Amino acid sequence: MNLAGATLTALAQRAGVTPADVDLWLGPSIAQCSYEVGDELREHFDERFLRKRDHGKWELDVSGAVVADLRSAGADMARVCVSAVDTFVDRAACYSYRRDGAASGRMLSFARWM
């Protein structure tokens, strides 16, 4: 998929820097142990980001896939910070449609140009 890597490349190019010059922060997201997917989504990801569950579903490591995309685009891993907050588990801090359904609140993310 490589959306994160393509975005990093485009932003770095526009800023006149290399991808290795960009500080990156991945905010809270659903953790692999909380994110069960079926074959229709599994086929879009490299096997290294998937764990098979006993009942035929898969656990997907979204953050791991994003970090791999950033690495392949030339990000300096020392400048990449990944939140350990699992949006599915942390009810007090995060909304989760997967956990709460349509009644869930919404979250906002942003990028800042410095």
Side-chain angles (χ1 to χ4, degrees), residues 43-105:
E43 67 189 29
H44 296 286
F45 289 88
D46 188 295
E47 292 291 322
R48 63 191 159 148
F49 306 114
L50 296 157
R51 271 194 311 243
K52 183 117 170 126
R53 285 202 164 167
D54 293 338
H55 57 279
K57 296 283 187 172
W58 300 85
E59 292 176 348
L60 175 60
D61 181 5
V62 177
S63 293
V66 170
V67 168
D69 287 349
L70 294 171
R71 180 181 289 121
S72 71
D76 176 353
M77 291 298 101
R79 298 181 82 160
V80 176
C81 180
V82 181
S83 173
V85 175
D86 180 349
T87 56
F88 185 84
V89 172
D90 194 342
R91 286 183 180 275
C94 302
Y95 297 118
S96 172
Y97 186 91
R98 184 170 282 259
R99 180 189 63 223
D100 302 326
S104 173

Side-chain angles (χ1 to χ4, degrees), residues 6 8 14 19 21 23 25 27 32 34-36 45 47 57 61 67 75 78 82 86 98-99 101 104 106 108:
L8 173 59
R14 180 174 173 153
D21 296 322
D23 292 325
W25 183 70
Q32 184 173 18
S34 299
Y35 194 33
E36 183 179 273
F45 289 88
E47 292 291 322
K57 296 283 187 172
D61 181 5
V67 168
V82 181
D86 180 349
R98 184 170 282 259
R99 180 189 63 223
S104 173
R106 298 295 178 260
L108 174 70

Side-chain angles (χ1 to χ4, degrees), residues 7-17 22-23 110-114:
T7 301
L8 173 59
T9 300
L11 287 173
Q13 184 177 26
R14 180 174 173 153
V17 299
V22 179
D23 292 325
F110 66 94
R112 180 175 178 200
W113 198 274
M114 297 180 71

